[in-house]
Amino acid sequence: MKYIFITISFFLFSNFSIAQNSFIKGQVLDGASGDPMEFTNIAILSPGDSSVVTGIITDFDGKFNINVKPGNYLIRISYVGYKDRWRKIVVSESGLDLKKIKVSPDTEILTEVNIDAVAPLFESDIDKRVFNVANSIVAEGGTAIDLLETLPSVQIDEEGNISMRGSGDILIYINGRPTNMMADGVESVLEQFPANSIEKIELITNPSSRYDAQGTGGIINLVLKKNQADGFNGQINGSIGTRNKYTGGINMNYRKGAWNFYGAYNYQFRQLFRESESFRENLVGNGSRFLDQDNYMENYDESNMVRFGFDVDMTENSALGVFFSSNIRNGTRDGVYNIRHQNVNRAQDSLYVRNRDETQNRTNIEAGLNYSLNIDTTGQKLFSQFSFSRDEQETLEVFDQDFFDAGNNLVPQNQVNQLFDQPRFNEQYLIQVDYEKPFGEDRKLEAGYKSTISINDREQVFSDLDQEIQEYVINDTISNRFLFDEGVHAAYLMYRNSVNRIGFQAGLRGEATFTESYQVNLDSTFVNNYFNLFPSIYLSYKLTEKQDILLNYSRRIRRPSVWSLNPFINAQDPLNLRVGNPFLRPELTDSYEVSYQYEGGNLFFTGSGYFRQTNDVITRVFSLLDNNVGLMGWENINTRQTSGLELITQYSFASWADATLTTNLFYTKLFGDNLGEGFNNENLSWSMNLLSNFAIPKLFSVQLQANYRGPIVLPQGELEPYYGVNIGIRKDIMDKRATISANLTDVFNSRVFKIRTEDNRFIQDRLFNRETQIFTLSFTYRLGGFKDRNGKRDGDHDGDDMDNDMF
């Protein structure tokens, strides 16, 4: 490892003596709002034949810096949904600073009816797809989970787990930082964020060496709203949904000179039901032949989330940012389990009625700072950040269980009362440094270092009521305490270059992982330290100005989570237990992908063929114990192979209407014979997602989203297909200072998850239904320098006079 850090240090702090060309630099701004325009295409063209000399996209601040030889050029600034800007330029040996360049939205004024342009939903970069979801209608009033379900390639299963292209283990980022996940995992974290607090979502299906190697299915980055416009601005929003769902929030921003202050508060109260059914036929043993169960649960969740921070331009070339967020969440759950044992004739042997009351209190805080430095005018940059997060949770479940015999008579002496106390704690520390160094027009070197340290403490105390003495007695078999620490220390090098029509990017990331788990009750320690290298290669070929071919390869890792490692027995349902496996090994995935991309006029199309091979696959395995109790555990199986084809088409019918259709066809094979017979499986599956927008301001805007997901293969069965449709409508009022909207999710109430699991000991069918058919009314009011969906402010006008402000 020391050689990697020496290499990184050399690239970070050495002075390179390679001769430089001249340069062109500037910053692209939205001509209406003044906001920086990230990911804007900058093309430098030959004035003779308009052939492309070089090009770049702007960074997150809308800035660009291109190395070119002195001479005469044409510059073209282009962004989907905005007018192209052109100008002849002369570059001297001392370079050319174009300063602030403003571009205006490309709207169309028709004679019979006024039409607003639909904001571009989808943008594509070399290693990611960006979805602009700030104005999503169908998920308004919901949470980040509801918003993710509307995106192409993304699926959410019955337990809130996320997958892309049929592959799970997705790494979730918030503003480019990994989330502090504990307790209930991904779903619990994402439910803290209202959908209207999110500006855009980045899907990174095959990440480069720049990114964390964790996440074999890819990375999803949620970028939260934070305005950069001068002066005071913000928005107030609120919503009300069927069956007691309320949200409200305020997002404020003040920018003056070099300082930018921002803050937000969001409140949520959501009542949701969850129900499940399970029917199991036991093929062995002397117990009851059938187990028939159903469960109904009402969840009441309330959360208060606060975010604030500031950015300051310390000098012309350096900036400092400080951020803080906190979320306090309280919840209660009331439910009942009906557990029926039935004989071979389906007559009742016995019935358990198990009532569950749960209270949960959770507090999460995160704080950090970042610093960026433009070292010189050649584009040499340094970025660093540090963050700390802490998550605490206290959960208490109370169970009251009655027993009925074959004649459905209550048997009082078999009554059971239990307490399930689960205190949990987690801390995470992150430190990161990234460096960029351009060489000439097309070459660039990147290097970086990152450490992520997580400390987890999970405890559960399970107690049974002694009916004779009427006191609770701790059950030592189920009670336990599990400590798990993980440190991941990484360094990477990446180099990119292009020659004529061919471009390439190659990188290598090294990650050293140190883990230690300790079971307090058993006084047992398990240490698992390992080091892995993660290469990534991207090759591109520009067929024409509008067509590209891209090939890439990367290696990824899935480290076992605390949830899957934790050896606790989860006894919420005494006949369907869950337990973790502290000896799980990490799984490694090699991903290959070839893509074709076309972008021209009103059409954007990309087609991708991909293949993934995963070794030591981490998967859930169901087994039936001799007493007919089901046990869900975690194991490593040998291999999973996935081959697929994904097609994405975005078409703008006019400036007021567009549609994006995503189709994903994939074939999966599982090889799990290391666990014994019956763990090999394979199937062909597919998914489709349609998202369409229509915008007619004098009437309303409409958004329609529909998706279908085919069967998903499991080692012991499959997840059956499902589909869903969402629709939303929006109208601007009060001279476009406010917006009202309404949406209905899961129009046909069809999003029900069904799973079949089987082997030579049992056959089991399960059904899970979360409340998804929800009608929501929302209201948003914009303060200060408000913007409508086209980015225009009150009093702004289109026209050629914008050219005078550009250069």
Side-chain angles (χ1 to χ4, degrees):
M1 278 298 294
K2 70 177 182 179
Y3 298 108
I4 294 178
F5 296 118
I6 291 172
T7 305
I8 291 296
S9 301
F10 171 79
F11 283 113
L12 288 177
F13 304 112
S14 294
N15 291 318
F16 294 89
S17 58
I18 297 176
Q20 301 292 334
N21 294 299
S22 190
F23 66 89
I24 306 168
K25 70 176 182 177
Q27 183 182 28
V28 181
L29 305 176
D30 186 311
S33 68
D35 292 347
M37 298 276 291
E38 69 263 27
F39 304 121
T40 301
N41 292 304
I42 310 295
I44 306 301
L45 313 173
S46 170
D49 57 5
S50 296
S51 61
V52 176
V53 177
T54 186
I56 199 172
I57 61 172
T58 58
D59 62 18
F60 288 105
D61 297 319
K63 295 179 180 180
F64 65 92
N65 192 313
I66 307 176
N67 292 305
V68 297
K69 297 177 181 179
N72 298 325
Y73 299 98
L74 286 173
I75 184 171
R76 183 187 69 204
I77 297 101
S78 58
Y79 188 88
V80 177
Y82 285 73
K83 296 178 180 178
D84 287 356
R85 315 305 295 182
W86 296 78
R87 186 183 172 184
K88 294 180 179 179
I89 57 175
V90 179
V91 181
S92 65
E93 292 184 357
S94 60
L96 176 63
D97 187 355
L98 296 174
K99 301 188 183 300
K100 298 184 184 301
I101 307 168
K102 296 181 180 179
V103 294
S104 58
D106 186 9
T107 56
E108 200 176 310
I109 307 299
L110 304 181
T111 55
E112 295 184 2
V113 60
N114 293 323
I115 306 295
D116 270 359
V118 177
L121 166 74
F122 173 79
E123 301 166 33
S124 180
D125 195 6
I126 187 172
D127 55 3
K128 63 185 171 185
R129 300 199 298 270
V130 182
F131 292 87
N132 300 300
V133 297
N135 295 307
S136 174
I137 305 175
V138 293
E140 198 155 358
T143 67
I145 281 282
D146 301 313
L147 191 57
L148 282 173
E149 288 183 303
T150 69
L151 297 185
S153 306
V154 177
Q155 294 89 35
I156 315 292
D157 72 10
E158 78 285 357
E159 294 184 339
N161 299 309
I162 301 172
S163 62
M164 283 197 300
R165 293 178 171 178
S167 297
D169 183 42
I170 305 299
L171 186 62
I172 302 295
Y173 281 179
I174 305 293
N175 285 339
R177 298 183 299 276
T179 55
N180 182 5
M181 293 183 192
M182 65 159 286
D184 301 322
V186 177
E187 181 183 24
S188 181
V189 173
L190 294 180
E191 283 182 340
Q192 300 178 34
F193 293 91
N196 56 22
S197 69
I198 300 170
E199 181 73 26
K200 59 188 177 184
I201 298 177
E202 299 172 347
L203 303 185
I204 309 169
T205 55
N206 206 5
S208 67
S209 301
R210 179 191 301 112
Y211 299 97
D212 289 326
Q214 172 72 20
T216 55
I219 296 173
I220 296 178
N221 181 33
L222 308 183
V223 181
L224 304 182
K225 291 179 179 178
K226 186 181 72 171
N227 208 324
Q228 294 283 348
D230 287 340
F232 171 80
N233 54 80
Q235 69 175 22
I236 300 173
N237 60 74
S239 70
I240 180 171
T242 49
R243 280 181 32 89
N244 299 318
K245 296 170 184 63
Y246 311 99
T247 67
I250 183 169
N251 193 333
M252 312 297 290
N253 188 89
Y254 178 76
R255 186 174 184 90
K256 182 68 174 178
W259 291 85
N260 180 60
F261 299 91
Y262 60 90
Y265 167 75
N266 293 102
Y267 170 82
Q268 289 189 86
F269 179 87
R270 294 171 66 82
Q271 178 183 351
L272 290 164
F273 73 75
R274 296 194 180 197
E275 57 185 354
S276 65
E277 298 175 6
S278 175
F279 183 77
R280 185 166 76 220
E281 182 178 4
N282 304 316
L283 305 178
V284 297
N286 299 319
S288 298
R289 180 64 178 266
F290 298 102
L291 177 64
D292 186 8
Q293 297 177 266
D294 63 77
N295 166 243
Y296 183 86
M297 185 75 63
E298 286 280 358
N299 299 338
Y300 305 87
D301 288 309
E302 183 179 46
S303 69
N304 295 269
M305 185 171 69
V306 177
R307 297 186 295 116
F308 61 84
F310 69 84
D311 305 307
V312 57
D313 296 327
M314 302 179 66
T315 67
E316 184 178 351
N317 297 313
S318 63
L320 176 70
V322 177
F323 56 88
F324 174 85
S325 67
S326 176
N327 187 280
I328 299 174
R329 185 177 180 186
N330 302 305
T332 60
R333 292 170 176 81
D334 303 320
V336 59
Y337 297 85
N338 293 306
I339 307 170
R340 305 172 189 86
H341 288 91
Q342 298 171 343
N343 62 28
V344 68
N345 297 316
R346 296 293 307 275
Q348 178 173 304
D349 285 338
S350 62
L351 166 67
Y352 294 91
V353 179
R354 185 174 175 83
N355 295 289
R356 172 186 173 191
D357 294 314
E358 177 184 331
T359 58
Q360 184 183 97
N361 301 299
R362 180 174 185 175
T363 302
N364 178 277
I365 62 170
E366 182 182 18
L369 55 88
N370 55 67
Y371 174 77
S372 60
L373 173 66
N374 293 324
I375 299 174
D376 55 30
T377 58
T378 68
Q380 194 174 189
K381 299 177 182 178
L382 185 70
F383 174 82
S384 60
Q385 71 170 332
F386 169 79
S387 67
F388 162 79
S389 59
R390 179 185 179 94
D391 196 285
E392 292 184 80
Q393 177 177 305
E394 179 68 42
T395 302
L396 178 63
E397 296 175 274
V398 179
F399 295 99
D400 180 4
Q401 179 176 294
D402 292 325
F403 175 78
F404 298 83
D405 61 19
N408 207 36
N409 301 306
L410 177 65
V411 182
Q413 61 268 31
N414 288 348
Q415 183 179 7
V416 173
N417 300 91
Q418 298 166 325
L419 296 179
F420 197 11
D421 188 16
Q422 303 166 74
R424 299 173 181 177
F425 163 81
N426 169 260
E427 282 186 348
Q428 185 179 87
Y429 301 84
L430 182 150
I431 184 170
Q432 178 177 355
V433 179
D434 293 290
Y435 170 80
E436 294 183 12
K437 173 67 178 180
F439 298 97
E441 298 179 11
D442 304 310
R443 294 180 295 154
K444 184 167 71 172
L445 176 74
E446 297 182 42
Y449 167 80
K450 183 176 184 179
S451 282
T452 306
I453 299 172
S454 299
I455 301 170
N456 300 272
D457 185 343
R458 291 193 170 192
E459 185 176 7
Q460 68 179 31
V461 181
F462 196 92
S463 303
D464 297 287
L465 181 66
D466 188 317
Q467 300 291 346
E468 293 185 2
I469 62 175
Q470 287 296 297
E471 291 184 2
Y472 282 95
V473 179
I474 294 177
N475 185 323
D476 292 326
T477 302
I478 299 177
S479 299
N480 206 338
R481 186 179 178 193
F482 182 66
L483 308 179
F484 178 72
D485 297 338
E486 181 181 74
V488 180
H489 307 282
Y492 74 89
L493 288 172
M494 195 162 65
Y495 177 75
R496 65 169 63 186
N497 196 2
S498 62
V499 179
N500 297 323
R501 295 176 178 269
I502 300 175
F504 75 90
Q505 175 180 289
L508 182 65
R509 186 180 187 91
E511 292 192 351
T513 304
F514 302 90
T515 70
E516 180 178 301
S517 58
Y518 177 59
Q519 298 184 57
V520 176
N521 287 18
L522 300 178
D523 191 22
S524 173
T525 300
F526 180 69
V527 175
N528 187 18
N529 301 330
Y530 46 92
F531 175 79
N532 301 97
L533 291 175
F534 302 96
S536 68
I537 300 173
Y538 290 78
L539 295 173
S540 65
Y541 181 76
K542 183 170 286 297
L543 295 171
T544 67
E545 274 301 297
K546 298 179 179 180
Q547 300 179 83
D548 297 274
I549 292 178
L550 177 68
L551 294 88
N552 61 59
Y553 160 78
S554 69
R555 178 174 294 164
R556 311 283 297 161
I557 191 172
R558 178 187 182 184
R559 298 180 182 88
S561 67
V562 125
W563 178 259
S564 58
L565 292 170
N566 188 348
F568 294 175
I569 297 174
N570 186 319
Q572 292 174 337
D573 178 353
L575 296 178
N576 288 282
L577 305 177
R578 296 191 177 199
V579 63
N581 179 359
F583 306 108
L584 282 175
R585 301 182 301 277
E587 66 176 46
L588 289 168
T589 297
D590 291 286
S591 298
Y592 306 83
E593 185 172 332
V594 57
S595 302
Y596 166 81
Q597 181 172 300
Y598 173 87
E599 183 174 2
N602 296 331
L603 175 65
F604 174 86
F605 171 79
T606 180
S608 301
Y610 57 90
F611 174 77
R612 292 174 177 164
Q613 172 145 330
T614 303
N615 298 318
D616 287 331
V617 179
I618 299 173
T619 187
R620 288 179 290 186
V621 174
F622 185 87
S623 57
L624 189 63
L625 306 181
D626 291 337
N627 55 2
N628 282 338
V629 172
L631 180 65
M632 183 73 76
W634 294 88
E635 297 288 350
N636 291 103
I637 64 172
N638 285 331
T639 308
R640 178 180 61 233
Q641 294 178 348
T642 302
S643 306
L645 176 66
E646 183 179 61
L647 305 176
I648 301 176
T649 304
Q650 182 181 29
Y651 184 74
S652 298
F653 303 97
S655 61
W656 52 272
D658 68 27
T660 301
L661 176 65
T662 301
T663 303
N664 185 30
L665 179 70
F666 56 96
Y667 186 79
T668 303
K669 297 180 69 174
L670 296 172
F671 301 91
D673 45 13
N674 61 302
L675 300 183
E677 186 180 352
F679 291 91
N680 291 347
N681 207 349
E682 59 187 284
N683 82 341
L684 176 69
S685 188
W686 59 94
S687 65
M688 297 184 69
N689 184 294
L690 173 67
L691 183 62
S692 186
N693 298 278
F694 306 89
I696 306 179
K698 286 190 175 180
L699 298 175
F700 45 72
S701 300
V702 178
Q703 189 174 68
L704 174 69
Q705 188 268 333
N707 62 16
Y708 172 86
R709 193 219 61 212
I712 301 295
V713 66
L714 303 172
Q716 296 168 279
E718 70 175 22
L719 186 63
E720 295 183 12
Y722 80 92
Y723 71 95
V725 176
N726 305 321
I727 189 168
I729 187 170
R730 168 186 285 158
K731 181 175 179 60
D732 290 333
I733 59 175
M734 301 171 64
D735 195 25
K736 295 190 177 182
R737 291 183 178 272
T739 300
I740 56 173
S741 63
N743 65 59
L744 176 63
T745 58
D746 196 8
V747 174
F748 302 106
N749 201 23
S750 56
R751 295 186 57 198
V752 178
F753 296 88
K754 298 179 181 179
I755 303 174
R756 164 157 281 215
T757 310
E758 58 184 315
D759 69 10
N760 57 5
R761 296 171 59 87
F762 69 92
I763 300 173
Q764 179 168 273
D765 290 292
R766 291 179 292 161
L767 177 150
F768 298 88
N769 182 26
R770 298 187 296 166
E771 183 179 2
T772 51
Q773 189 178 63
I774 302 169
F775 178 77
T776 305
L777 286 173
S778 303
F779 175 80
T780 300
Y781 183 79
R782 290 171 283 277
L783 304 169
F786 73 94
K787 297 189 297 180
D788 68 14
R789 291 191 304 279
N790 287 316
K792 297 181 185 178
R793 293 170 181 258
D794 203 17
D796 285 335
H797 303 281
D798 290 326
D800 293 336
D801 58 334
M802 191 69 71
D803 288 330
N804 298 324
D805 298 328
M806 277 187 57
F807 297 99

